[in-house]
PDB file of all heavy atoms in Angstrom:
ATOM      1  N   HIS A 173     -13.439   2.133  19.802  1.00  0.00           N
ATOM      2  CA  HIS A 173     -13.930   2.606  18.511  1.00  0.00           C
ATOM      3  C   HIS A 173     -12.980   3.660  17.914  1.00  0.00           C
ATOM      4  O   HIS A 173     -12.682   3.642  16.737  1.00  0.00           O
ATOM      5  CB  HIS A 173     -15.360   3.251  18.629  1.00  0.00           C
ATOM      6  CG  HIS A 173     -15.828   3.828  17.405  1.00  0.00           C
ATOM      7  ND1 HIS A 173     -16.183   3.143  16.271  1.00  0.00           N
ATOM      8  CD2 HIS A 173     -16.036   5.154  17.057  1.00  0.00           C
ATOM      9  CE1 HIS A 173     -16.558   3.989  15.313  1.00  0.00           C
ATOM     10  NE2 HIS A 173     -16.412   5.196  15.805  1.00  0.00           N
ATOM     11  N   ILE A 174     -12.515   4.585  18.783  1.00  0.00           N
ATOM     12  CA  ILE A 174     -11.615   5.655  18.265  1.00  0.00           C
ATOM     13  C   ILE A 174     -10.305   4.994  17.877  1.00  0.00           C
ATOM     14  O   ILE A 174      -9.770   5.317  16.774  1.00  0.00           O
ATOM     15  CB  ILE A 174     -11.404   6.685  19.410  1.00  0.00           C
ATOM     16  CG1 ILE A 174     -12.650   7.556  19.561  1.00  0.00           C
ATOM     17  CG2 ILE A 174     -10.200   7.562  19.114  1.00  0.00           C
ATOM     18  CD1 ILE A 174     -12.630   8.474  20.753  1.00  0.00           C
ATOM     19  N   LYS A 175      -9.791   4.009  18.614  1.00  0.00           N
ATOM     20  CA  LYS A 175      -8.572   3.275  18.212  1.00  0.00           C
ATOM     21  C   LYS A 175      -8.715   2.614  16.894  1.00  0.00           C
ATOM     22  O   LYS A 175      -7.784   2.518  16.106  1.00  0.00           O
ATOM     23  CB  LYS A 175      -8.171   2.223  19.276  1.00  0.00           C
ATOM     24  CG  LYS A 175      -7.616   2.855  20.548  1.00  0.00           C
ATOM     25  CD  LYS A 175      -7.269   1.719  21.458  1.00  0.00           C
ATOM     26  CE  LYS A 175      -7.157   2.133  22.923  1.00  0.00           C
ATOM     27  NZ  LYS A 175      -6.907   1.005  23.749  1.00  0.00           N
ATOM     28  N   SER A 176      -9.917   2.192  16.589  1.00  0.00           N
ATOM     29  CA  SER A 176     -10.166   1.429  15.303  1.00  0.00           C
ATOM     30  C   SER A 176     -10.306   2.424  14.196  1.00  0.00           C
ATOM     31  O   SER A 176     -10.391   1.980  12.988  1.00  0.00           O
ATOM     32  CB  SER A 176     -11.392   0.560  15.392  1.00  0.00           C
ATOM     33  OG  SER A 176     -12.575   1.261  15.447  1.00  0.00           O
ATOM     34  N   SER A 177     -10.371   3.720  14.432  1.00  0.00           N
ATOM     35  CA  SER A 177     -10.592   4.708  13.333  1.00  0.00           C
ATOM     36  C   SER A 177      -9.382   5.401  12.800  1.00  0.00           C
ATOM     37  O   SER A 177      -9.394   6.023  11.833  1.00  0.00           O
ATOM     38  CB  SER A 177     -11.576   5.777  13.890  1.00  0.00           C
ATOM     39  OG  SER A 177     -12.775   5.182  14.214  1.00  0.00           O
ATOM     40  N   TYR A 178      -8.202   5.369  13.520  1.00  0.00           N
ATOM     41  CA  TYR A 178      -7.024   6.105  13.165  1.00  0.00           C
ATOM     42  C   TYR A 178      -5.781   5.266  13.386  1.00  0.00           C
ATOM     43  O   TYR A 178      -5.814   4.259  14.093  1.00  0.00           O
ATOM     44  CB  TYR A 178      -6.895   7.384  14.026  1.00  0.00           C
ATOM     45  CG  TYR A 178      -8.139   8.228  14.074  1.00  0.00           C
ATOM     46  CD1 TYR A 178      -9.064   8.131  15.131  1.00  0.00           C
ATOM     47  CD2 TYR A 178      -8.478   9.040  12.995  1.00  0.00           C
ATOM     48  CE1 TYR A 178     -10.199   8.930  15.166  1.00  0.00           C
ATOM     49  CE2 TYR A 178      -9.603   9.833  12.985  1.00  0.00           C
ATOM     50  CZ  TYR A 178     -10.482   9.746  14.067  1.00  0.00           C
ATOM     51  OH  TYR A 178     -11.652  10.487  14.113  1.00  0.00           O
ATOM     52  N   GLN A 179      -4.650   5.685  12.767  1.00  0.00           N
ATOM     53  CA  GLN A 179      -3.434   4.950  12.941  1.00  0.00           C
ATOM     54  C   GLN A 179      -2.756   5.423  14.291  1.00  0.00           C
ATOM     55  O   GLN A 179      -2.232   4.620  15.020  1.00  0.00           O
ATOM     56  CB  GLN A 179      -2.435   5.259  11.794  1.00  0.00           C
ATOM     57  CG  GLN A 179      -2.700   4.380  10.611  1.00  0.00           C
ATOM     58  CD  GLN A 179      -3.988   4.730   9.870  1.00  0.00           C
ATOM     59  OE1 GLN A 179      -4.216   5.824   9.359  1.00  0.00           O
ATOM     60  NE2 GLN A 179      -4.959   3.740   9.840  1.00  0.00           N
ATOM     61  N   LEU A 180      -2.860   6.704  14.580  1.00  0.00           N
ATOM     62  CA  LEU A 180      -2.309   7.243  15.797  1.00  0.00           C
ATOM     63  C   LEU A 180      -3.338   8.230  16.432  1.00  0.00           C
ATOM     64  O   LEU A 180      -3.989   8.969  15.657  1.00  0.00           O
ATOM     65  CB  LEU A 180      -1.009   8.079  15.578  1.00  0.00           C
ATOM     66  CG  LEU A 180       0.271   7.388  15.245  1.00  0.00           C
ATOM     67  CD1 LEU A 180       1.342   8.491  15.008  1.00  0.00           C
ATOM     68  CD2 LEU A 180       0.671   6.510  16.396  1.00  0.00           C
ATOM     69  N   ILE A 181      -3.431   8.199  17.738  1.00  0.00           N
ATOM     70  CA  ILE A 181      -4.260   9.143  18.419  1.00  0.00           C
ATOM     71  C   ILE A 181      -3.363   9.777  19.494  1.00  0.00           C
ATOM     72  O   ILE A 181      -2.573   9.107  20.164  1.00  0.00           O
ATOM     73  CB  ILE A 181      -5.466   8.505  19.139  1.00  0.00           C
ATOM     74  CG1 ILE A 181      -6.296   7.643  18.116  1.00  0.00           C
ATOM     75  CG2 ILE A 181      -6.360   9.551  19.804  1.00  0.00           C
ATOM     76  CD1 ILE A 181      -6.049   6.197  18.109  1.00  0.00           C
ATOM     77  N   ILE A 182      -3.529  11.116  19.660  1.00  0.00           N
ATOM     78  CA  ILE A 182      -2.709  11.841  20.599  1.00  0.00           C
ATOM     79  C   ILE A 182      -3.640  12.354  21.734  1.00  0.00           C
ATOM     80  O   ILE A 182      -4.605  13.076  21.400  1.00  0.00           O
ATOM     81  CB  ILE A 182      -1.996  13.065  19.898  1.00  0.00           C
ATOM     82  CG1 ILE A 182      -1.329  12.712  18.655  1.00  0.00           C
ATOM     83  CG2 ILE A 182      -1.048  13.697  20.961  1.00  0.00           C
ATOM     84  CD1 ILE A 182      -0.191  11.786  18.724  1.00  0.00           C
ATOM     85  N   ASP A 183      -3.286  12.016  22.965  1.00  0.00           N
ATOM     86  CA  ASP A 183      -4.175  12.460  24.065  1.00  0.00           C
ATOM     87  C   ASP A 183      -3.811  13.858  24.448  1.00  0.00           C
ATOM     88  O   ASP A 183      -2.874  14.484  23.905  1.00  0.00           O
ATOM     89  CB  ASP A 183      -4.160  11.453  25.250  1.00  0.00           C
ATOM     90  CG  ASP A 183      -2.887  11.495  26.067  1.00  0.00           C
ATOM     91  OD1 ASP A 183      -2.035  12.424  25.910  1.00  0.00           O
ATOM     92  OD2 ASP A 183      -2.737  10.515  26.874  1.00  0.00           O
ATOM     93  N   GLU A 184      -4.553  14.403  25.402  1.00  0.00           N
ATOM     94  CA  GLU A 184      -4.392  15.797  25.763  1.00  0.00           C
ATOM     95  C   GLU A 184      -3.024  16.124  26.367  1.00  0.00           C
ATOM     96  O   GLU A 184      -2.540  17.211  26.450  1.00  0.00           O
ATOM     97  CB  GLU A 184      -5.515  16.254  26.705  1.00  0.00           C
ATOM     98  CG  GLU A 184      -5.410  15.775  28.114  1.00  0.00           C
ATOM     99  CD  GLU A 184      -5.952  14.401  28.413  1.00  0.00           C
ATOM    100  OE1 GLU A 184      -6.110  13.660  27.441  1.00  0.00           O
ATOM    101  OE2 GLU A 184      -6.145  14.028  29.590  1.00  0.00           O
ATOM    102  N   LYS A 185      -2.332  15.058  26.916  1.00  0.00           N
ATOM    103  CA  LYS A 185      -1.016  15.254  27.466  1.00  0.00           C
ATOM    104  C   LYS A 185       0.114  15.075  26.494  1.00  0.00           C
ATOM    105  O   LYS A 185       1.246  15.176  26.830  1.00  0.00           O
ATOM    106  CB  LYS A 185      -0.805  14.273  28.671  1.00  0.00           C
ATOM    107  CG  LYS A 185      -1.782  14.484  29.832  1.00  0.00           C
ATOM    108  CD  LYS A 185      -1.548  13.472  30.912  1.00  0.00           C
ATOM    109  CE  LYS A 185      -2.886  12.731  30.985  1.00  0.00           C
ATOM    110  NZ  LYS A 185      -2.792  11.435  31.387  1.00  0.00           N
TER     111      LYS A 185
END
Side-chain angles (χ1 to χ4, degrees):
H173 174 71
I174 289 170
K175 288 181 199 175
S176 72
S177 298
Y178 308 100
Q179 280 68 63
L180 285 179
I181 305 99
I182 313 296
D183 74 12
E184 77 278 15
K185 294 177 246 151

